[in-house]
Amino acid sequence: MYLLTVVGNLTIVTLVCMVSQLHTPMYFFLCNLSSSDIVFVTVTLPKLLSIFLTQDHTITFDGCITQLYFFLICGQAEIFILTCMAYDRYVAICKPLQYSLIMNKVVCFVMAAFSWLTGILNSLLHALIASSLPFCYSLEIDHFFCDLKTLGMLSASESKNRDILTSVQSVFIGCVPFLLIVVSYVYIISTILKIQSSNGRLKAFSSCTSHLTTVVLFYGPIIFLYMKPENDRSREDDKLLSILYVVVVPMLNPFVYSLRNKDILGAIAKIKQYLKKV
Ligand SMILES: *[C@@H]1O[C@H](CO)[C@@H](O)[C@H](O)[C@H]1NC(C)=O
């Protein structure tokens, strides 16, 4: 699964960089998403595999914090990039005539840079806080990678400030982007419903299905994991759900975008032709 994820996402990155028909905002954002997916699985899965192979269940403290740091960067960048993509679809469907004006290169670049930079800075903050927590109860991580929740649980300190920080963050990083995506889709769907011909409706809608699928795949497990009350489920269910978003979702993304997608299939055909000539 790790290899499949890396190869699948690398293929998307390569295609978007090489084929000029894919030099559009949507595919640039997709390229960002795929790069993030590659880092996301690379910080978690090789360590998990080495635990399976060597039966050595330990991780160094620095390793743990590094894993946490990159995991958070990618998680946040993905949330913001998915939001940018939703906005891109909104402009493409609701304001098609102004599309190239609104989604110009500078705007896209600023949106992508904002996604990455906030991720990097915010994760740095979390990593610094986590690395200064006093761990006195136990040093046993009840998970297959170091995430914020598990590390927080290990620590003996019951810090009010940290709780406030976490709540403010979950509003800004969890809820606001999600609401923006929902609002975009409300506009998109109401615009699509106004289209007269059923053919046109189908065409407009099919340009959003890949993005919508990714959003559902990405947010489904997260909402399930974080919205339910703490004691409702066992830790084992939590781990199973995080397998879904750490392993399965990054693996599925390239397939969601390439199957039935004429642009990507066309790009693959083009590369094949090119390779034949060489
Ligand atoms: C991310 O998206 C921006 C804006 O569209 C683009 O300029 C940049 O090349 C992309 N970066 C990666 C690594 O995909």
Side-chain angles (χ1 to χ4, degrees), residues 61-74:
F61 185 69
D62 293 345
C64 187
I65 298 293
T66 311
Q67 199 173 46
L68 175 77
Y69 179 57
F70 284 101
F71 175 76
L72 287 178
I73 292 182
C74 295

PDB file of all heavy atoms in Angstrom, residues 61-74:
ATOM      1  N   PHE A  61      12.533   9.860  20.994  1.00  0.00           N
ATOM      2  CA  PHE A  61      11.731  11.049  21.294  1.00  0.00           C
ATOM      3  C   PHE A  61      11.774  12.029  20.119  1.00  0.00           C
ATOM      4  O   PHE A  61      10.741  12.527  19.673  1.00  0.00           O
ATOM      5  CB  PHE A  61      12.256  11.715  22.572  1.00  0.00           C
ATOM      6  CG  PHE A  61      11.400  12.865  23.009  1.00  0.00           C
ATOM      7  CD1 PHE A  61      10.116  12.652  23.502  1.00  0.00           C
ATOM      8  CD2 PHE A  61      11.861  14.157  22.925  1.00  0.00           C
ATOM      9  CE1 PHE A  61       9.318  13.707  23.895  1.00  0.00           C
ATOM     10  CE2 PHE A  61      11.066  15.225  23.322  1.00  0.00           C
ATOM     11  CZ  PHE A  61       9.794  15.000  23.813  1.00  0.00           C
ATOM     12  N   ASP A  62      12.991  12.262  19.584  1.00  0.00           N
ATOM     13  CA  ASP A  62      13.116  13.162  18.441  1.00  0.00           C
ATOM     14  C   ASP A  62      12.336  12.628  17.240  1.00  0.00           C
ATOM     15  O   ASP A  62      11.675  13.383  16.525  1.00  0.00           O
ATOM     16  CB  ASP A  62      14.591  13.324  18.036  1.00  0.00           C
ATOM     17  CG  ASP A  62      15.371  14.051  19.118  1.00  0.00           C
ATOM     18  OD1 ASP A  62      14.728  14.649  19.996  1.00  0.00           O
ATOM     19  OD2 ASP A  62      16.617  13.997  19.076  1.00  0.00           O
ATOM     20  N   GLY A  63      12.418  11.312  17.058  1.00  0.00           N
ATOM     21  CA  GLY A  63      11.691  10.702  15.943  1.00  0.00           C
ATOM     22  C   GLY A  63      10.206  10.940  16.078  1.00  0.00           C
ATOM     23  O   GLY A  63       9.511  11.250  15.106  1.00  0.00           O
ATOM     24  N   CYS A  64       9.739  10.807  17.294  1.00  0.00           N
ATOM     25  CA  CYS A  64       8.312  10.967  17.560  1.00  0.00           C
ATOM     26  C   CYS A  64       7.857  12.398  17.268  1.00  0.00           C
ATOM     27  O   CYS A  64       6.835  12.617  16.611  1.00  0.00           O
ATOM     28  CB  CYS A  64       8.059  10.596  19.015  1.00  0.00           C
ATOM     29  SG  CYS A  64       6.352  10.527  19.469  1.00  0.00           S
ATOM     30  N   ILE A  65       8.663  13.370  17.739  1.00  0.00           N
ATOM     31  CA  ILE A  65       8.288  14.773  17.517  1.00  0.00           C
ATOM     32  C   ILE A  65       8.363  15.122  16.028  1.00  0.00           C
ATOM     33  O   ILE A  65       7.509  15.829  15.497  1.00  0.00           O
ATOM     34  CB  ILE A  65       9.202  15.723  18.344  1.00  0.00           C
ATOM     35  CG1 ILE A  65       9.027  15.458  19.844  1.00  0.00           C
ATOM     36  CG2 ILE A  65       8.901  17.183  18.042  1.00  0.00           C
ATOM     37  CD1 ILE A  65       7.671  15.813  20.401  1.00  0.00           C
ATOM     38  N   THR A  66       9.381  14.578  15.348  1.00  0.00           N
ATOM     39  CA  THR A  66       9.497  14.829  13.907  1.00  0.00           C
ATOM     40  C   THR A  66       8.280  14.277  13.172  1.00  0.00           C
ATOM     41  O   THR A  66       7.718  14.937  12.291  1.00  0.00           O
ATOM     42  CB  THR A  66      10.764  14.138  13.350  1.00  0.00           C
ATOM     43  OG1 THR A  66      11.852  14.470  14.199  1.00  0.00           O
ATOM     44  CG2 THR A  66      11.063  14.575  11.949  1.00  0.00           C
ATOM     45  N   GLN A  67       7.899  13.062  13.552  1.00  0.00           N
ATOM     46  CA  GLN A  67       6.732  12.448  12.925  1.00  0.00           C
ATOM     47  C   GLN A  67       5.485  13.312  13.147  1.00  0.00           C
ATOM     48  O   GLN A  67       4.740  13.604  12.209  1.00  0.00           O
ATOM     49  CB  GLN A  67       6.515  11.066  13.545  1.00  0.00           C
ATOM     50  CG  GLN A  67       5.670  10.161  12.717  1.00  0.00           C
ATOM     51  CD  GLN A  67       5.624   8.764  13.289  1.00  0.00           C
ATOM     52  OE1 GLN A  67       5.429   8.573  14.480  1.00  0.00           O
ATOM     53  NE2 GLN A  67       5.801   7.782  12.438  1.00  0.00           N
ATOM     54  N   LEU A  68       5.319  13.745  14.368  1.00  0.00           N
ATOM     55  CA  LEU A  68       4.185  14.602  14.716  1.00  0.00           C
ATOM     56  C   LEU A  68       4.191  15.863  13.860  1.00  0.00           C
ATOM     57  O   LEU A  68       3.170  16.269  13.301  1.00  0.00           O
ATOM     58  CB  LEU A  68       4.260  14.969  16.197  1.00  0.00           C
ATOM     59  CG  LEU A  68       3.215  15.955  16.714  1.00  0.00           C
ATOM     60  CD1 LEU A  68       1.897  15.258  16.892  1.00  0.00           C
ATOM     61  CD2 LEU A  68       3.654  16.589  18.016  1.00  0.00           C
ATOM     62  N   TYR A  69       5.379  16.468  13.744  1.00  0.00           N
ATOM     63  CA  TYR A  69       5.517  17.736  13.024  1.00  0.00           C
ATOM     64  C   TYR A  69       5.085  17.592  11.570  1.00  0.00           C
ATOM     65  O   TYR A  69       4.228  18.325  11.077  1.00  0.00           O
ATOM     66  CB  TYR A  69       6.963  18.212  13.143  1.00  0.00           C
ATOM     67  CG  TYR A  69       7.257  19.498  12.418  1.00  0.00           C
ATOM     68  CD1 TYR A  69       6.542  20.646  12.694  1.00  0.00           C
ATOM     69  CD2 TYR A  69       8.246  19.551  11.450  1.00  0.00           C
ATOM     70  CE1 TYR A  69       6.806  21.832  12.027  1.00  0.00           C
ATOM     71  CE2 TYR A  69       8.521  20.731  10.780  1.00  0.00           C
ATOM     72  CZ  TYR A  69       7.794  21.860  11.069  1.00  0.00           C
ATOM     73  OH  TYR A  69       8.053  23.022  10.400  1.00  0.00           O
ATOM     74  N   PHE A  70       5.659  16.611  10.862  1.00  0.00           N
ATOM     75  CA  PHE A  70       5.341  16.481   9.448  1.00  0.00           C
ATOM     76  C   PHE A  70       3.915  16.001   9.234  1.00  0.00           C
ATOM     77  O   PHE A  70       3.239  16.402   8.281  1.00  0.00           O
ATOM     78  CB  PHE A  70       6.348  15.555   8.755  1.00  0.00           C
ATOM     79  CG  PHE A  70       7.652  16.230   8.517  1.00  0.00           C
ATOM     80  CD1 PHE A  70       8.735  16.015   9.340  1.00  0.00           C
ATOM     81  CD2 PHE A  70       7.778  17.136   7.469  1.00  0.00           C
ATOM     82  CE1 PHE A  70       9.928  16.678   9.130  1.00  0.00           C
ATOM     83  CE2 PHE A  70       8.973  17.795   7.248  1.00  0.00           C
ATOM     84  CZ  PHE A  70      10.051  17.561   8.084  1.00  0.00           C
ATOM     85  N   PHE A  71       3.468  15.142  10.120  1.00  0.00           N
ATOM     86  CA  PHE A  71       2.091  14.659  10.039  1.00  0.00           C
ATOM     87  C   PHE A  71       1.110  15.830  10.115  1.00  0.00           C
ATOM     88  O   PHE A  71       0.169  15.932   9.318  1.00  0.00           O
ATOM     89  CB  PHE A  71       1.867  13.667  11.188  1.00  0.00           C
ATOM     90  CG  PHE A  71       0.470  13.180  11.309  1.00  0.00           C
ATOM     91  CD1 PHE A  71      -0.018  12.235  10.429  1.00  0.00           C
ATOM     92  CD2 PHE A  71      -0.362  13.664  12.298  1.00  0.00           C
ATOM     93  CE1 PHE A  71      -1.313  11.779  10.538  1.00  0.00           C
ATOM     94  CE2 PHE A  71      -1.661  13.218  12.410  1.00  0.00           C
ATOM     95  CZ  PHE A  71      -2.141  12.275  11.523  1.00  0.00           C
ATOM     96  N   LEU A  72       1.370  16.749  11.050  1.00  0.00           N
ATOM     97  CA  LEU A  72       0.479  17.899  11.208  1.00  0.00           C
ATOM     98  C   LEU A  72       0.557  18.845  10.020  1.00  0.00           C
ATOM     99  O   LEU A  72      -0.456  19.356   9.548  1.00  0.00           O
ATOM    100  CB  LEU A  72       0.815  18.661  12.493  1.00  0.00           C
ATOM    101  CG  LEU A  72       0.415  17.978  13.797  1.00  0.00           C
ATOM    102  CD1 LEU A  72       0.854  18.822  14.987  1.00  0.00           C
ATOM    103  CD2 LEU A  72      -1.074  17.732  13.853  1.00  0.00           C
ATOM    104  N   ILE A  73       1.785  19.084   9.524  1.00  0.00           N
ATOM    105  CA  ILE A  73       1.920  19.964   8.346  1.00  0.00           C
ATOM    106  C   ILE A  73       1.061  19.438   7.207  1.00  0.00           C
ATOM    107  O   ILE A  73       0.260  20.169   6.621  1.00  0.00           O
ATOM    108  CB  ILE A  73       3.381  20.037   7.844  1.00  0.00           C
ATOM    109  CG1 ILE A  73       4.267  20.750   8.854  1.00  0.00           C
ATOM    110  CG2 ILE A  73       3.445  20.762   6.501  1.00  0.00           C
ATOM    111  CD1 ILE A  73       5.694  20.881   8.373  1.00  0.00           C
ATOM    112  N   CYS A  74       1.231  18.157   6.915  1.00  0.00           N
ATOM    113  CA  CYS A  74       0.526  17.601   5.756  1.00  0.00           C
ATOM    114  C   CYS A  74      -0.970  17.580   5.985  1.00  0.00           C
ATOM    115  O   CYS A  74      -1.744  17.906   5.084  1.00  0.00           O
ATOM    116  CB  CYS A  74       1.016  16.195   5.464  1.00  0.00           C
ATOM    117  SG  CYS A  74       2.714  16.191   4.985  1.00  0.00           S
TER     118      CYS A  74
END
